[in-house]
Amino acid sequence: MSPPSGRDSKAAVKPLLVTIKVVSQEKVLRHTMSRTDKLQVLLDAWYHKVPDVTYGTGVFLFEGVRLRGNKTPADLEMEDGDMIDFFEHMDGGRQFVAGPMSAH
């Protein structure tokens, strides 16, 4: 007797939990979450566990695409061990104002 349809292989079933690694130039955070939880949970965890980074001052990228908190790991087909890059917005430099050059 063969197994009922849909139950023939556990290998095709994705695990309920995934551990995602968030990496910046100076910090690494590993966070385990449900595949169906909103990624906002992970983004909030980053800012909470990395207190020297002000909330909302960076961008999170997965495979080069900016993450939005309303998506889930399942939406993005994330797998256990996937990595998200965090880039903090940089302020600085000098404003350049183009104008007429004076002759000396």
Side-chain angles (χ1 to χ4, degrees):
M1 180 183 255
S2 64
S5 178
R7 295 183 182 200
D8 56 349
S9 173
K10 288 191 176 192
V13 177
K14 296 220 179 218
L16 182 60
L17 298 177
V18 291
T19 298
I20 308 291
K21 183 165 64 170
V22 182
V23 178
S24 73
Q25 286 185 332
E26 301 173 0
K27 307 281 184 191
V28 175
L29 169 72
R30 286 176 182 79
H31 185 78
T32 301
M33 62 189 297
S34 169
R35 293 180 45 74
T36 58
D37 284 347
K38 300 289 184 193
L39 286 168
Q40 190 63 49
V41 172
L42 174 63
L43 309 185
D44 291 344
W46 170 263
Y47 287 116
H48 178 73
K49 294 181 180 181
V50 185
D52 54 327
V53 177
T54 304
Y55 191 90
T57 59
V59 62
F60 296 87
L61 301 177
F62 175 64
E63 297 181 345
V65 178
R66 187 175 184 165
L67 287 183
R68 301 287 181 206
N70 64 340
K71 296 291 184 182
T72 68
D75 292 339
L76 302 175
E77 298 181 1
M78 290 179 143
E79 296 181 5
D80 195 50
D82 275 347
M83 187 172 68
I84 293 172
D85 296 304
F86 174 80
F87 296 96
E88 194 166 7
H89 295 298
M90 301 299 279
D91 290 329
R94 193 170 99 180
Q95 184 176 8
F96 176 76
V97 179
M101 296 176 72
S102 60
H104 290 289

